Amino acid sequence: MSVLPYALPLGALALSWPMLSRRLALSRAKHRSLAGHSRMAKRLARWLPAYHYDEHEFFRCDGADEGVAQRRREAFEALSAGFSTRYARSLALTRQAREGLADLQLTSAYRVPFQFAPLVRQHLPVGAFVASAQGHTLIDLDGNRFIDLTGSYGVNVMGVDFYKACMAEGLQVAEALGPVLGAYHPCVAGIVERLQDISGQDEVSFHMSGTEAVMQAVRLARYHTGRRHLVRFCGAYHGWWDDVQPGPGNPMPPRETYTLADISERSLDVLRHRRDIACVLVNPLQALHPNRNAPADSALLDSSRRAGFDRQAYADWLQRLRQVCTERRIVLIMDEVFLGFRLAPGGAQAYFGVQADMVTYGKTIAGGYPVGVLCGRHDLMRRYRDDRPADLCLARGTFNAHPYVMAGMSAFLKRLDDPEVLAAYEGQDERWDARARLFNETMEREALPMRAAHLQSIWTIDFTEPSRYNWMLQYYLRWHGVALSWVGTGRLIFSLRMDDAEFAEVVERFVKAGRDMRRSGWWMNPEGLNDRWIRRRVLREFLAARFGF
């Protein structure tokens, strides 16, 4: 009997086994959530139907009885009337601008879960304009004062007055040159030396945003390694361009990006055995919520949001990752656009004790002006080859190294050496740990279902009781004078220079907002309500909207 019919399939299997094994390892290294599976997440996003609660269902979608629903309705109407009066001028200008401002349309549409959004946009609009700022306070067009916990999306590390001073100095220093582009302002030479010292890298390039800096880092890694693929970790954000945002929000299909589980030995195994990986991107902000997307109130369907930070565990993970990247000649890119200069004067590299091959900065480094910076090893930053004059890796921009931006950056970097600024960094872990304990103990004493998780001055509010209305907290906080970014209680960003008295005022305003939530019925949950019940209810709603049953 001939063995040929059996030998051919077995031979084909033997030849294909290494590829199949690598593919299986890659699949196992992805996080089990949708955040780890970009293609599946995109399919679900296209499939997910839109549906909205009417005024009847809006107040009782958790099974509340008529008495609780009526209490919520009355509180909602009272808050709406209060908003329309207290914030009248700010809201009027926001309505005027919204129709022509696409960015504002996006942020206003995604403040709360989409099922609630139409009624909330109609009755609880949020003003998008402010008139002035000082210290840790924002003042709107109506004269209302808010404690600023927006942090200007990460820019505001030291309080707004610090950046006003940097920008004013930059304006004065660059004024003689003005908007002359291409040539460099003399301050750039000193900036390069300072950044070499801070980053521990050999060379520097300037860009107009953090997104552009990351794009250039990935492009150079591909250029020098000859490999195409990049690794990002589940839930991490590295800007809005295609390769680092392969899931929903990107119209292009995932192509050359592997999204792996953070803090995972299986991910390290993938890096050890694949030969097509050019670089690994790390956003150390994920230490606060590993393998989870950035928290936002628009995703608060229930109370399952959780965050937490373990400095030693994350530092150990980065060291293991560093070792594997070195062994496999994979470029390790530390994306410090958000966290740079918040955890320590030397950034996240210094704080966690790991040296990357390339590091990107943005947000705060230009002292209030827009910028992106890439620092890297000499061999990786080279954009051309001496022996192949047509083999280039181009990246330039008209406004890169703009004189006013560079002068503002110079002012910021000089201020990092001020004793007063250095004092703000001393004992940060202990200071913010103590403040988080104070916050959580206060909420427990007040019987309010809020708890803070934090990475130093960056906080997320988790909820300890099941509810479908946690997202309402952001509106009561605004009523009590706390300004949040459009992601709401998912990310609170404090200034390092906020003193204990100012922080105590923040805690008091959270207490007042929480009491209003409880008194108004948003945290009066029916017996038997839990997060599993909520998720099953929402799933039934999805199916009914999609299939009509």
Side-chain angles (χ1 to χ4, degrees):
M1 181 178 180
S2 174
V3 298
L4 186 59
Y6 303 97
L8 289 175
L10 290 174
L13 179 62
L15 290 173
S16 63
W17 176 248
M19 181 181 67
L20 294 173
S21 178
R22 287 193 298 270
R23 182 63 196 176
L24 178 61
L26 180 63
S27 296
R28 296 181 68 200
K30 295 179 179 180
H31 196 259
R32 289 178 293 177
S33 71
L34 282 173
H37 292 79
S38 302
R39 293 182 185 275
M40 189 179 301
K42 286 173 71 72
R43 292 190 188 101
L44 180 62
R46 289 192 295 267
W47 179 83
L48 183 66
Y51 66 94
H52 307 111
Y53 296 140
D54 59 23
E55 291 197 20
H56 175 82
E57 192 67 17
F58 185 98
F59 300 103
R60 51 175 55 78
C61 64
D62 58 353
D65 62 34
E66 185 57 36
V68 171
Q70 184 60 27
R71 182 183 297 190
R72 292 169 179 171
R73 180 187 296 274
E74 292 171 357
F76 188 78
E77 292 173 351
L79 194 60
S80 174
F83 269 43
S84 63
T85 301
R86 183 181 290 183
Y87 312 125
R89 294 181 61 193
S90 300
L91 292 176
L93 190 58
T94 301
R95 285 193 296 270
Q96 175 186 328
R98 186 181 184 277
E99 295 306 313
L101 187 53
D103 294 342
L104 183 53
Q105 295 170 27
L106 174 69
T107 55
S108 63
Y110 286 92
R111 286 184 179 274
V112 302
F114 67 84
Q115 298 96 329
F116 302 92
L119 281 175
V120 172
R121 283 201 302 271
Q122 180 182 351
H123 296 287
L124 287 178
V126 174
F129 292 88
V130 292
S132 62
Q134 60 185 60
H136 307 115
T137 301
L138 299 177
I139 303 168
D140 71 5
L141 306 186
D142 301 273
N144 299 294
R145 303 175 70 89
F146 300 88
I147 298 176
D148 179 17
L149 298 189
T150 72
S152 295
Y153 296 96
V155 173
N156 194 344
V157 175
M158 295 290 178
V160 71
D161 295 336
F162 176 92
Y163 296 95
K164 285 183 178 181
C166 289
M167 296 179 78
E169 181 179 330
L171 180 65
Q172 185 176 16
V173 168
E175 188 174 16
L177 183 59
V180 175
L181 307 174
Y184 295 107
H185 190 281
C187 71
V188 170
I191 290 172
V192 170
E193 291 182 357
R194 189 78 170 92
L195 287 174
Q196 287 172 321
D197 179 59
I198 289 172
S199 68
Q201 305 293 349
D202 302 319
E203 298 181 8
V204 177
S205 66
F206 300 106
H207 306 271
M208 279 305 297
S209 69
T211 288
E212 290 183 19
V214 173
M215 291 172 72
Q216 174 66 343
V218 172
R219 173 179 275 200
L220 285 168
R222 286 167 165 166
Y223 177 64
H224 288 291
T225 63
R227 306 167 186 170
R228 291 169 23 197
H229 289 79
L230 65 90
V231 165
R232 63 187 286 274
F233 291 110
C234 180
Y237 181 77
H238 299 283
W240 51 260
W241 61 289
D242 288 355
D243 283 1
V244 294
Q245 192 186 42
N250 177 5
M252 297 298 292
R255 293 173 297 181
E256 297 170 342
T257 303
Y258 299 140
T259 299
L260 304 185
D262 212 349
I263 317 181
S264 167
E265 290 300 323
R266 288 179 174 177
S267 296
L268 295 182
D269 286 340
V270 169
L271 298 178
R272 289 189 184 101
H273 294 101
R274 295 195 72 93
R275 300 179 181 179
D276 57 354
I277 298 172
C279 59
V280 172
L281 286 163
V282 173
N283 185 339
L285 180 60
Q286 288 303 112
L288 179 58
H289 38 74
N291 296 309
R292 293 175 181 264
N293 291 326
D297 284 6
S298 60
L300 282 177
L301 294 176
D302 57 19
S303 296
S304 61
R305 184 167 76 191
R306 292 292 180 268
F309 172 57
D310 184 328
R311 178 177 179 177
Q312 188 59 54
Y314 197 75
D316 291 344
W317 156 251
L318 291 179
Q319 292 293 347
R320 296 198 305 275
L321 181 63
R322 170 70 279 179
Q323 181 179 354
V324 172
C325 288
T326 300
E327 292 169 357
R328 301 299 299 167
R329 295 180 60 250
I330 297 170
V331 179
L332 178 59
I333 301 170
M334 187 75 81
D335 179 357
E336 296 199 40
V337 169
F338 191 96
L339 272 188
F341 307 99
R342 179 170 287 274
L343 300 181
Q349 287 188 116
Y351 181 75
F352 289 110
V354 64
Q355 181 69 41
D357 300 309
M358 295 175 130
V359 57
T360 59
Y361 302 111
K363 303 291 186 185
T364 197
I365 192 174
Y369 290 106
V371 75
V373 177
L374 170 62
C375 304
R377 293 195 331 241
H378 169 74
D379 59 308
L380 293 173
M381 295 293 283
R382 195 73 177 270
R383 303 182 189 182
Y384 60 91
R385 305 184 193 279
D386 290 324
D387 57 339
R388 300 175 191 170
D391 190 355
L392 305 175
C393 184
L394 291 176
R396 283 293 299 160
T398 300
F399 290 99
N400 290 358
H402 190 288
Y404 290 96
V405 175
M406 293 296 101
M409 188 183 303
S410 178
F412 172 84
L413 293 173
K414 284 188 293 186
R415 280 168 171 75
L416 277 183
D417 293 327
D418 290 349
E420 183 183 357
V421 172
L422 291 174
Y425 286 106
E426 293 178 1
Q428 269 218 88
D429 282 339
E430 295 79 10
R431 181 182 308 115
W432 290 103
D433 286 350
R435 288 176 173 178
R437 283 195 300 273
L438 171 63
F439 182 95
N440 290 334
E441 288 169 0
T442 302
M443 298 307 136
E444 185 174 9
R445 185 171 61 252
E446 291 282 339
L448 297 173
M450 297 178 279
R451 299 294 183 270
H454 72 291
L455 170 56
Q456 285 194 1
S457 57
I458 302 170
W459 289 34
T460 289
I461 302 300
D462 296 333
F463 299 93
T464 60
E465 295 178 5
S467 175
R468 295 206 63 183
Y469 297 99
N470 293 321
W471 50 266
M472 274 294 297
L473 177 62
Q474 64 183 298
Y475 296 97
Y476 285 103
L477 285 169
R478 186 169 189 83
W479 184 250
H480 288 288
V482 178
L484 307 178
S485 66
W486 68 282
V487 299
T489 59
R491 182 160 296 155
L492 315 178
I493 306 175
F494 293 86
S495 164
L496 303 192
R497 300 170 100 175
M498 177 176 281
D499 62 30
D500 289 342
E502 291 170 314
F503 180 78
E505 181 62 28
V506 171
V507 176
E508 180 59 28
R509 296 188 188 197
F510 265 84
V511 169
K512 290 178 179 178
R515 288 172 178 168
D516 283 350
M517 286 283 290
R518 183 77 79 189
R519 183 165 46 246
S520 300
W522 305 110
W523 283 337
M524 292 184 62
N525 300 315
E527 184 177 352
L529 184 73
N530 55 50
D531 287 337
R532 182 180 180 184
W533 184 95
I534 294 172
R535 289 192 292 269
R536 293 178 66 180
R537 164 73 181 257
V538 172
L539 178 59
R540 289 196 299 270
E541 293 172 356
F542 287 160
L543 294 174
R546 185 69 175 84
F547 299 109
F549 59 79

PDB file of all heavy atoms in Angstrom, residues 23-46:
ATOM      1  N   ARG A  23       1.410  31.797  14.730  1.00  0.00           N
ATOM      2  CA  ARG A  23       0.086  32.405  14.662  1.00  0.00           C
ATOM      3  C   ARG A  23      -0.722  32.093  15.918  1.00  0.00           C
ATOM      4  O   ARG A  23      -1.433  32.960  16.461  1.00  0.00           O
ATOM      5  CB  ARG A  23      -0.657  31.890  13.425  1.00  0.00           C
ATOM      6  CG  ARG A  23      -2.033  32.495  13.239  1.00  0.00           C
ATOM      7  CD  ARG A  23      -1.949  33.979  13.021  1.00  0.00           C
ATOM      8  NE  ARG A  23      -3.243  34.620  13.211  1.00  0.00           N
ATOM      9  CZ  ARG A  23      -3.441  35.922  13.160  1.00  0.00           C
ATOM     10  NH1 ARG A  23      -2.431  36.725  12.930  1.00  0.00           N
ATOM     11  NH2 ARG A  23      -4.642  36.416  13.355  1.00  0.00           N
ATOM     12  N   LEU A  24      -0.622  30.862  16.410  1.00  0.00           N
ATOM     13  CA  LEU A  24      -1.329  30.479  17.631  1.00  0.00           C
ATOM     14  C   LEU A  24      -0.798  31.267  18.821  1.00  0.00           C
ATOM     15  O   LEU A  24      -1.579  31.747  19.664  1.00  0.00           O
ATOM     16  CB  LEU A  24      -1.167  28.980  17.877  1.00  0.00           C
ATOM     17  CG  LEU A  24      -1.812  28.433  19.157  1.00  0.00           C
ATOM     18  CD1 LEU A  24      -3.320  28.660  19.131  1.00  0.00           C
ATOM     19  CD2 LEU A  24      -1.496  26.949  19.321  1.00  0.00           C
ATOM     20  N   ALA A  25       0.526  31.421  18.896  1.00  0.00           N
ATOM     21  CA  ALA A  25       1.112  32.191  19.995  1.00  0.00           C
ATOM     22  C   ALA A  25       0.645  33.643  19.952  1.00  0.00           C
ATOM     23  O   ALA A  25       0.367  34.247  20.997  1.00  0.00           O
ATOM     24  CB  ALA A  25       2.631  32.119  19.924  1.00  0.00           C
ATOM     25  N   LEU A  26       0.535  34.188  18.741  1.00  0.00           N
ATOM     26  CA  LEU A  26       0.060  35.563  18.601  1.00  0.00           C
ATOM     27  C   LEU A  26      -1.380  35.692  19.082  1.00  0.00           C
ATOM     28  O   LEU A  26      -1.734  36.645  19.800  1.00  0.00           O
ATOM     29  CB  LEU A  26       0.175  36.000  17.147  1.00  0.00           C
ATOM     30  CG  LEU A  26      -0.282  37.419  16.801  1.00  0.00           C
ATOM     31  CD1 LEU A  26       0.583  38.442  17.517  1.00  0.00           C
ATOM     32  CD2 LEU A  26      -0.235  37.640  15.288  1.00  0.00           C
ATOM     33  N   SER A  27      -2.221  34.751  18.710  1.00  0.00           N
ATOM     34  CA  SER A  27      -3.614  34.787  19.132  1.00  0.00           C
ATOM     35  C   SER A  27      -3.736  34.680  20.643  1.00  0.00           C
ATOM     36  O   SER A  27      -4.544  35.368  21.268  1.00  0.00           O
ATOM     37  CB  SER A  27      -4.403  33.657  18.468  1.00  0.00           C
ATOM     38  OG  SER A  27      -4.436  33.825  17.069  1.00  0.00           O
ATOM     39  N   ARG A  28      -2.921  33.835  21.254  1.00  0.00           N
ATOM     40  CA  ARG A  28      -2.991  33.651  22.705  1.00  0.00           C
ATOM     41  C   ARG A  28      -2.453  34.860  23.458  1.00  0.00           C
ATOM     42  O   ARG A  28      -2.813  35.086  24.614  1.00  0.00           O
ATOM     43  CB  ARG A  28      -2.211  32.401  23.111  1.00  0.00           C
ATOM     44  CG  ARG A  28      -2.771  31.094  22.556  1.00  0.00           C
ATOM     45  CD  ARG A  28      -1.945  29.922  23.025  1.00  0.00           C
ATOM     46  NE  ARG A  28      -2.071  29.705  24.454  1.00  0.00           N
ATOM     47  CZ  ARG A  28      -1.191  29.013  25.180  1.00  0.00           C
ATOM     48  NH1 ARG A  28      -0.120  28.494  24.610  1.00  0.00           N
ATOM     49  NH2 ARG A  28      -1.379  28.853  26.472  1.00  0.00           N
ATOM     50  N   ALA A  29      -1.598  35.660  22.807  1.00  0.00           N
ATOM     51  CA  ALA A  29      -1.012  36.827  23.461  1.00  0.00           C
ATOM     52  C   ALA A  29      -1.935  38.041  23.424  1.00  0.00           C
ATOM     53  O   ALA A  29      -1.666  39.034  24.101  1.00  0.00           O
ATOM     54  CB  ALA A  29       0.328  37.183  22.817  1.00  0.00           C
ATOM     55  N   LYS A  30      -2.983  37.972  22.645  1.00  0.00           N
ATOM     56  CA  LYS A  30      -3.928  39.085  22.614  1.00  0.00           C
ATOM     57  C   LYS A  30      -4.824  39.029  23.840  1.00  0.00           C
ATOM     58  O   LYS A  30      -5.185  37.960  24.315  1.00  0.00           O
ATOM     59  CB  LYS A  30      -4.785  39.021  21.347  1.00  0.00           C
ATOM     60  CG  LYS A  30      -3.994  39.218  20.058  1.00  0.00           C
ATOM     61  CD  LYS A  30      -4.894  39.122  18.838  1.00  0.00           C
ATOM     62  CE  LYS A  30      -4.111  39.339  17.556  1.00  0.00           C
ATOM     63  NZ  LYS A  30      -4.982  39.241  16.360  1.00  0.00           N
ATOM     64  N   HIS A  31      -5.194  40.200  24.332  1.00  0.00           N
ATOM     65  CA  HIS A  31      -6.099  40.222  25.470  1.00  0.00           C
ATOM     66  C   HIS A  31      -7.465  39.704  25.038  1.00  0.00           C
ATOM     67  O   HIS A  31      -7.901  39.907  23.903  1.00  0.00           O
ATOM     68  CB  HIS A  31      -6.231  41.641  26.021  1.00  0.00           C
ATOM     69  CG  HIS A  31      -6.814  41.688  27.392  1.00  0.00           C
ATOM     70  ND1 HIS A  31      -8.125  42.007  27.627  1.00  0.00           N
ATOM     71  CD2 HIS A  31      -6.266  41.437  28.602  1.00  0.00           C
ATOM     72  CE1 HIS A  31      -8.363  41.970  28.924  1.00  0.00           C
ATOM     73  NE2 HIS A  31      -7.258  41.622  29.539  1.00  0.00           N
ATOM     74  N   ARG A  32      -8.156  39.052  25.943  1.00  0.00           N
ATOM     75  CA  ARG A  32      -9.424  38.405  25.582  1.00  0.00           C
ATOM     76  C   ARG A  32     -10.545  39.405  25.331  1.00  0.00           C
ATOM     77  O   ARG A  32     -11.559  39.053  24.733  1.00  0.00           O
ATOM     78  CB  ARG A  32      -9.825  37.424  26.680  1.00  0.00           C
ATOM     79  CG  ARG A  32      -8.950  36.178  26.728  1.00  0.00           C
ATOM     80  CD  ARG A  32      -9.347  35.270  27.863  1.00  0.00           C
ATOM     81  NE  ARG A  32      -9.068  35.887  29.157  1.00  0.00           N
ATOM     82  CZ  ARG A  32      -9.372  35.331  30.325  1.00  0.00           C
ATOM     83  NH1 ARG A  32      -9.992  34.158  30.352  1.00  0.00           N
ATOM     84  NH2 ARG A  32      -9.074  35.930  31.453  1.00  0.00           N
ATOM     85  N   SER A  33     -10.368  40.630  25.789  1.00  0.00           N
ATOM     86  CA  SER A  33     -11.418  41.629  25.583  1.00  0.00           C
ATOM     87  C   SER A  33     -11.408  42.121  24.143  1.00  0.00           C
ATOM     88  O   SER A  33     -10.472  41.865  23.377  1.00  0.00           O
ATOM     89  CB  SER A  33     -11.199  42.815  26.524  1.00  0.00           C
ATOM     90  OG  SER A  33     -10.063  43.562  26.116  1.00  0.00           O
ATOM     91  N   LEU A  34     -12.441  42.874  23.777  1.00  0.00           N
ATOM     92  CA  LEU A  34     -12.499  43.461  22.438  1.00  0.00           C
ATOM     93  C   LEU A  34     -11.352  44.434  22.199  1.00  0.00           C
ATOM     94  O   LEU A  34     -10.919  44.620  21.065  1.00  0.00           O
ATOM     95  CB  LEU A  34     -13.832  44.179  22.241  1.00  0.00           C
ATOM     96  CG  LEU A  34     -15.032  43.291  21.943  1.00  0.00           C
ATOM     97  CD1 LEU A  34     -16.305  44.120  21.934  1.00  0.00           C
ATOM     98  CD2 LEU A  34     -14.861  42.555  20.615  1.00  0.00           C
ATOM     99  N   ALA A  35     -10.845  45.067  23.269  1.00  0.00           N
ATOM    100  CA  ALA A  35      -9.718  45.986  23.107  1.00  0.00           C
ATOM    101  C   ALA A  35      -8.489  45.272  22.567  1.00  0.00           C
ATOM    102  O   ALA A  35      -7.624  45.900  21.955  1.00  0.00           O
ATOM    103  CB  ALA A  35      -9.392  46.655  24.443  1.00  0.00           C
ATOM    104  N   GLY A  36      -8.407  43.963  22.760  1.00  0.00           N
ATOM    105  CA  GLY A  36      -7.277  43.202  22.245  1.00  0.00           C
ATOM    106  C   GLY A  36      -7.520  42.600  20.875  1.00  0.00           C
ATOM    107  O   GLY A  36      -6.625  41.953  20.327  1.00  0.00           O
ATOM    108  N   HIS A  37      -8.698  42.781  20.310  1.00  0.00           N
ATOM    109  CA  HIS A  37      -9.031  42.170  19.017  1.00  0.00           C
ATOM    110  C   HIS A  37      -9.629  43.250  18.110  1.00  0.00           C
ATOM    111  O   HIS A  37     -10.850  43.451  18.069  1.00  0.00           O
ATOM    112  CB  HIS A  37     -10.011  41.008  19.200  1.00  0.00           C
ATOM    113  CG  HIS A  37      -9.400  39.830  19.912  1.00  0.00           C
ATOM    114  ND1 HIS A  37      -9.244  39.815  21.279  1.00  0.00           N
ATOM    115  CD2 HIS A  37      -8.892  38.656  19.455  1.00  0.00           C
ATOM    116  CE1 HIS A  37      -8.673  38.657  21.622  1.00  0.00           C
ATOM    117  NE2 HIS A  37      -8.456  37.949  20.543  1.00  0.00           N
ATOM    118  N   SER A  38      -8.745  43.928  17.385  1.00  0.00           N
ATOM    119  CA  SER A  38      -9.148  45.107  16.620  1.00  0.00           C
ATOM    120  C   SER A  38     -10.168  44.776  15.538  1.00  0.00           C
ATOM    121  O   SER A  38     -11.145  45.506  15.349  1.00  0.00           O
ATOM    122  CB  SER A  38      -7.911  45.755  15.999  1.00  0.00           C
ATOM    123  OG  SER A  38      -6.980  46.110  16.995  1.00  0.00           O
ATOM    124  N   ARG A  39      -9.945  43.698  14.828  1.00  0.00           N
ATOM    125  CA  ARG A  39     -10.867  43.357  13.737  1.00  0.00           C
ATOM    126  C   ARG A  39     -12.262  43.047  14.272  1.00  0.00           C
ATOM    127  O   ARG A  39     -13.273  43.501  13.719  1.00  0.00           O
ATOM    128  CB  ARG A  39     -10.321  42.167  12.938  1.00  0.00           C
ATOM    129  CG  ARG A  39      -9.049  42.470  12.158  1.00  0.00           C
ATOM    130  CD  ARG A  39      -8.598  41.261  11.365  1.00  0.00           C
ATOM    131  NE  ARG A  39      -7.333  41.507  10.707  1.00  0.00           N
ATOM    132  CZ  ARG A  39      -7.199  42.099   9.517  1.00  0.00           C
ATOM    133  NH1 ARG A  39      -8.281  42.490   8.870  1.00  0.00           N
ATOM    134  NH2 ARG A  39      -6.012  42.294   8.986  1.00  0.00           N
ATOM    135  N   MET A  40     -12.312  42.270  15.320  1.00  0.00           N
ATOM    136  CA  MET A  40     -13.606  41.916  15.894  1.00  0.00           C
ATOM    137  C   MET A  40     -14.305  43.156  16.443  1.00  0.00           C
ATOM    138  O   MET A  40     -15.525  43.332  16.277  1.00  0.00           O
ATOM    139  CB  MET A  40     -13.417  40.876  17.003  1.00  0.00           C
ATOM    140  CG  MET A  40     -14.713  40.278  17.525  1.00  0.00           C
ATOM    141  SD  MET A  40     -14.399  39.036  18.816  1.00  0.00           S
ATOM    142  CE  MET A  40     -13.379  37.868  17.910  1.00  0.00           C
ATOM    143  N   ALA A  41     -13.533  44.038  17.067  1.00  0.00           N
ATOM    144  CA  ALA A  41     -14.119  45.268  17.613  1.00  0.00           C
ATOM    145  C   ALA A  41     -14.694  46.141  16.507  1.00  0.00           C
ATOM    146  O   ALA A  41     -15.760  46.736  16.652  1.00  0.00           O
ATOM    147  CB  ALA A  41     -13.074  46.025  18.417  1.00  0.00           C
ATOM    148  N   LYS A  42     -13.988  46.216  15.368  1.00  0.00           N
ATOM    149  CA  LYS A  42     -14.480  47.019  14.251  1.00  0.00           C
ATOM    150  C   LYS A  42     -15.755  46.416  13.670  1.00  0.00           C
ATOM    151  O   LYS A  42     -16.682  47.144  13.301  1.00  0.00           O
ATOM    152  CB  LYS A  42     -13.395  47.142  13.176  1.00  0.00           C
ATOM    153  CG  LYS A  42     -12.265  48.092  13.555  1.00  0.00           C
ATOM    154  CD  LYS A  42     -11.146  48.053  12.540  1.00  0.00           C
ATOM    155  CE  LYS A  42     -11.554  48.699  11.228  1.00  0.00           C
ATOM    156  NZ  LYS A  42     -11.652  50.162  11.349  1.00  0.00           N
ATOM    157  N   ARG A  43     -15.803  45.099  13.578  1.00  0.00           N
ATOM    158  CA  ARG A  43     -17.021  44.452  13.066  1.00  0.00           C
ATOM    159  C   ARG A  43     -18.197  44.730  13.985  1.00  0.00           C
ATOM    160  O   ARG A  43     -19.313  45.032  13.535  1.00  0.00           O
ATOM    161  CB  ARG A  43     -16.797  42.949  12.925  1.00  0.00           C
ATOM    162  CG  ARG A  43     -15.796  42.549  11.838  1.00  0.00           C
ATOM    163  CD  ARG A  43     -15.825  41.052  11.593  1.00  0.00           C
ATOM    164  NE  ARG A  43     -14.760  40.621  10.709  1.00  0.00           N
ATOM    165  CZ  ARG A  43     -13.628  40.046  11.120  1.00  0.00           C
ATOM    166  NH1 ARG A  43     -13.453  39.800  12.418  1.00  0.00           N
ATOM    167  NH2 ARG A  43     -12.702  39.687  10.245  1.00  0.00           N
ATOM    168  N   LEU A  44     -17.958  44.630  15.294  1.00  0.00           N
ATOM    169  CA  LEU A  44     -19.034  44.876  16.248  1.00  0.00           C
ATOM    170  C   LEU A  44     -19.486  46.333  16.174  1.00  0.00           C
ATOM    171  O   LEU A  44     -20.686  46.625  16.248  1.00  0.00           O
ATOM    172  CB  LEU A  44     -18.565  44.536  17.662  1.00  0.00           C
ATOM    173  CG  LEU A  44     -19.604  44.750  18.773  1.00  0.00           C
ATOM    174  CD1 LEU A  44     -20.815  43.861  18.550  1.00  0.00           C
ATOM    175  CD2 LEU A  44     -18.997  44.478  20.141  1.00  0.00           C
ATOM    176  N   ALA A  45     -18.533  47.245  16.003  1.00  0.00           N
ATOM    177  CA  ALA A  45     -18.890  48.663  15.920  1.00  0.00           C
ATOM    178  C   ALA A  45     -19.789  48.929  14.715  1.00  0.00           C
ATOM    179  O   ALA A  45     -20.724  49.740  14.792  1.00  0.00           O
ATOM    180  CB  ALA A  45     -17.624  49.512  15.845  1.00  0.00           C
ATOM    181  N   ARG A  46     -19.518  48.252  13.588  1.00  0.00           N
ATOM    182  CA  ARG A  46     -20.366  48.426  12.405  1.00  0.00           C
ATOM    183  C   ARG A  46     -21.742  47.779  12.595  1.00  0.00           C
ATOM    184  O   ARG A  46     -22.733  48.231  12.031  1.00  0.00           O
ATOM    185  CB  ARG A  46     -19.675  47.830  11.173  1.00  0.00           C
ATOM    186  CG  ARG A  46     -18.473  48.631  10.697  1.00  0.00           C
ATOM    187  CD  ARG A  46     -18.021  48.163   9.327  1.00  0.00           C
ATOM    188  NE  ARG A  46     -17.523  46.799   9.349  1.00  0.00           N
ATOM    189  CZ  ARG A  46     -16.244  46.463   9.501  1.00  0.00           C
ATOM    190  NH1 ARG A  46     -15.340  47.415   9.664  1.00  0.00           N
ATOM    191  NH2 ARG A  46     -15.872  45.206   9.501  1.00  0.00           N
TER     192      ARG A  46
END
